[in-house]
Amino acid sequence: MGAEVIEPQSIRNVTIVGEPGETAGVLGRLRRRFGIAGYPAISWLTGREPHTIRIAELSSRAPGPDLERSIRLADGLIAVVPAAAPSTPRLETVLRVADDHQVARLCLVTGLDRPGADFDRAVRTIADTRGAAPLTLQIPLGLGAAGEGVADLLATGALGPLAAEIYGPHWQLAQQRYHALAAAVLERDDHHPATERPHEVPPAHLRRRIRDLTRLGDVVPVLCGTDLTPLLDAIVRYLPSPLDVCQPEHALDY
């Protein structure tokens, strides 16, 4: 039987980088969910299209030259940001190196249930690092023991009035953050002016623009929480395939 042919455009080779305990936690959840060992190779459907996601791990505590080389060679990065950490100099180094080498990246804020967790501080850390601007695609609905889950802002925009029923007392905050997200995308969009009402712009258009801006290095999508489905969908939607980074000869050798 011949080997399965994989369309390179459907591949996402991703390196997850951060403190070893943080990256291990994310990889552990992936392994448990999909029943696999080692570094995950996941078959995933987004928008009814099959994709193959391959994930490698990189410690932010690796020696400087090794860290820079690994980031430079990555197709795309997931930078893990601990919400409870008051200072993250190694994360800032990772983001600067990724910006220097124009590597597309997502940020995943973890540990929202821990004492001292501060989601907005984590986002400010990303914003204060030169380069791409953070786009919060998800926000926590409370922190620590009072947390009530996560709001997916693009879904909030698509839900319209139903969002008020789903998010209850958090609805106004979710709506405000969605409008801020849409405005940030539209102000970088020549086809949809920033003055356009956010609810009139299809979520599919916002996702396409976020993908383009992420690949250009203008923005960094930010996710949070422990649900893996939004993370895997974001990897497919926003991070490049090997063909997008002009490395087709490496598409199957990750």
Side-chain angles (χ1 to χ4, degrees):
M1 182 180 294
E4 180 184 359
V5 177
I6 302 176
E7 169 57 48
Q9 193 64 51
S10 71
I11 295 172
R12 299 293 184 271
N13 294 328
V14 179
T15 299
I16 182 168
V17 58
E19 291 292 314
E22 302 294 335
T23 57
V26 177
L27 286 169
R29 293 200 302 274
L30 286 166
R31 294 185 187 113
R32 289 191 295 273
R33 173 165 175 175
F34 293 97
I36 51 181
Y39 291 126
I42 297 165
S43 297
W44 187 251
L45 287 174
T46 294
R48 299 183 181 179
E49 294 293 330
H51 294 81
T52 299
I53 301 173
R54 300 186 179 120
I55 302 179
E57 185 179 15
L58 175 64
S59 170
S60 58
R61 294 186 174 273
D66 294 342
L67 186 67
E68 180 161 2
R69 179 181 180 278
S70 296
I71 293 173
R72 175 172 56 84
L73 295 177
D75 287 356
L77 290 181
I78 303 170
V80 181
V81 185
S87 177
T88 53
R90 290 186 177 273
L91 167 69
E92 294 163 29
T93 297
V94 166
L95 295 176
R96 283 195 295 270
V97 172
D99 186 63
D100 287 342
H101 296 288
Q102 296 182 314
V103 179
R105 58 266 190 209
L106 307 175
C107 285
L108 175 63
V109 180
T110 60
L112 297 170
D113 58 341
R114 298 174 189 168
D118 188 330
F119 178 74
D120 290 335
R121 179 179 61 204
V123 174
R124 285 195 301 272
T125 296
I126 301 166
D128 290 343
T129 304
R130 65 176 172 82
L135 281 182
T136 51
L137 305 188
Q138 295 178 308
I139 60 168
L141 303 178
L143 297 169
E148 299 179 41
V150 168
D152 185 315
L153 297 183
L154 288 175
T156 298
L159 287 169
L162 286 176
E165 298 181 24
I166 294 172
Y167 295 125
H170 303 288
W171 172 71
Q172 286 189 328
L173 174 62
Q175 186 182 51
Q176 290 170 2
R177 292 295 187 94
Y178 168 71
H179 287 166
L181 166 64
V185 175
L186 294 176
E187 71 181 8
R188 296 174 170 86
D189 190 339
D190 295 334
H191 300 290
H192 285 265
T195 54
E196 188 167 353
R197 295 178 181 178
H199 68 271
E200 295 177 350
V201 182
H205 176 79
L206 291 177
R207 290 190 178 103
R208 285 193 297 271
R209 283 301 296 153
I210 292 169
R211 174 176 169 79
D212 292 343
L213 293 167
T214 302
R215 287 174 53 188
L216 289 172
D218 290 345
V219 303
V220 180
V222 180
L223 298 96
C224 60
T226 59
D227 186 357
L228 296 172
T229 295
L231 174 63
L232 295 171
D233 283 341
I235 290 171
V236 168
R237 285 173 172 148
Y238 308 126
L239 293 183
S241 75
L243 294 181
D244 294 327
V245 292
C246 302
Q247 296 179 4
E249 69 274 17
H250 299 308
L252 302 178
D253 296 326
Y254 192 75

